[in-house]
Amino acid sequence: MPRGCKKEVKDPKAVLVCNDTERASTLTEILESGEITVKVATSVEQGLESTDEDTDVILLDLNMGSEPDLLCRRFTLAENTRKIPLVALDTPPLS
């Protein structure tokens, strides 16, 4: 179990919010190789709608907007996502 984890999560589920299809595909492949179920959302609105009580983590690509702090705030303020860990990804271009 990774350091800092309090409990092992069985069948972990993630929502990946990323509007770059190539980046989303690469990240999904990596996550699924670690046996993590991934839902891909191509917009913040879709990410908010895709997140449910079974979601263990939200992965947010900060390259989706010009103001990354506002992207994060949308998830930390929404009722259905505020208690779910949010990991902000600042990934470089793949090409």
Side-chain angles (χ1 to χ4, degrees), residues 1 9-10 12 18 24 29 36 39 41 55-56 58 60 66 70:
M1 186 177 328
V9 177
K10 296 200 185 274
C18 179
E29 186 177 320
I36 298 171
K39 287 185 200 175
T55 303
D56 297 300
I58 300 165
L60 175 61
S66 60
L70 294 179

Side-chain angles (χ1 to χ4, degrees), residues 44 48 60 62 67-79 81-82 86 88:
V44 171
L48 290 166
L60 175 61
L62 296 179
E67 298 185 45
D69 56 328
L70 294 179
L71 290 174
C72 293
R73 187 164 299 177
R74 298 264 319 264
F75 285 93
T76 59
L77 293 177
E79 185 67 36
T81 58
R82 73 174 59 169
L86 175 68

Side-chain angles (χ1 to χ4, degrees), residues 12-18 24 27-28 31-32 36-43 46-60 80:
K13 294 170 183 59
V15 171
L16 171 61
V17 185
C18 179
L27 291 169
T28 298
L31 293 165
E32 288 178 343
I36 298 171
T37 301
V38 180
K39 287 185 200 175
V40 177
T42 58
S43 69
Q46 199 177 55
L48 290 166
E49 292 170 7
S50 297
T51 304
D52 57 28
E53 64 277 351
D54 293 331
T55 303
D56 297 300
V57 65
I58 300 165
L59 305 170
L60 175 61
N80 66 320

Side-chain angles (χ1 to χ4, degrees), residues 20-36:
D20 180 303
T21 55
E22 185 178 357
R23 184 177 293 131
S25 177
T26 300
L27 291 169
T28 298
E29 186 177 320
I30 292 167
L31 293 165
E32 288 178 343
S33 73
E35 299 182 6
I36 298 171

